[in-house]
Amino acid sequence: MIHLGRWQNALPRTSRMPECAKAFECWGQHWTEMDSALGKTIELKQVLEPVGRYFGQPLRFYRKYERENLRPDLMAGITVAVIMLPQAIAFALIAELPPEMGLYAAVVGSIVGALWG
């Protein structure tokens, strides 16, 4: 059963557990039932505020970064690259993909991890 906390008993019985074969596709329908059952409207500001905070994380990180950590961070990055690049190529080949795909995944994953890690 899906746990909804304090709203569990406020929902109609049909909304508590979707009986669809593809539960994730039909959950949106049940979400609107839950929303109407609660009588709550969601404002755009409530949705966009956490998104703005999330995408502002790299900027906040850059402002707080201490310059004396640059050298150890570069050494750690080079060490990770030396290990990760051959590993990424090997995983791509195991998955029967071109080696470039492993490199793309490694580079994009590293950038995202560095900015939002």
Side-chain angles (χ1 to χ4, degrees):
M1 181 172 216
I2 298 172
H3 179 67
L4 299 173
R6 63 186 174 136
W7 295 319
Q8 186 72 34
N9 294 327
L11 299 175
R13 181 74 179 147
T14 58
S15 295
R16 290 189 185 175
M17 183 66 179
E19 298 296 331
C20 302
K22 298 178 181 178
F24 289 109
E25 290 181 11
C26 72
W27 182 247
Q29 299 165 1
H30 295 284
W31 184 260
T32 55
E33 289 179 27
M34 182 175 75
D35 197 22
S36 64
L38 294 174
K40 176 183 171 188
T41 58
I42 299 173
E43 294 182 20
L44 187 60
K45 183 180 177 182
Q46 291 174 330
V47 174
L48 292 181
E49 187 175 337
V51 171
R53 242 188 341 254
Y54 177 77
F55 284 112
Q57 178 65 26
L59 184 59
R60 285 191 301 277
F61 175 74
Y62 177 73
R63 289 180 180 166
K64 293 180 185 177
Y65 190 76
E66 297 176 9
R67 193 172 173 99
E68 60 268 6
N69 292 334
L70 184 61
R71 185 175 175 157
D73 286 345
L74 284 175
M75 290 299 293
I78 290 170
T79 304
V80 167
V82 166
I83 300 297
M84 182 182 54
L85 291 179
Q87 183 181 17
I89 293 170
F91 281 142
L93 292 174
I94 289 171
E96 298 180 1
L97 295 170
E100 302 87 32
M101 299 303 255
L103 293 175
Y104 294 148
V107 169
V108 170
S110 297
I111 291 171
V112 170
L115 292 177
W116 282 278

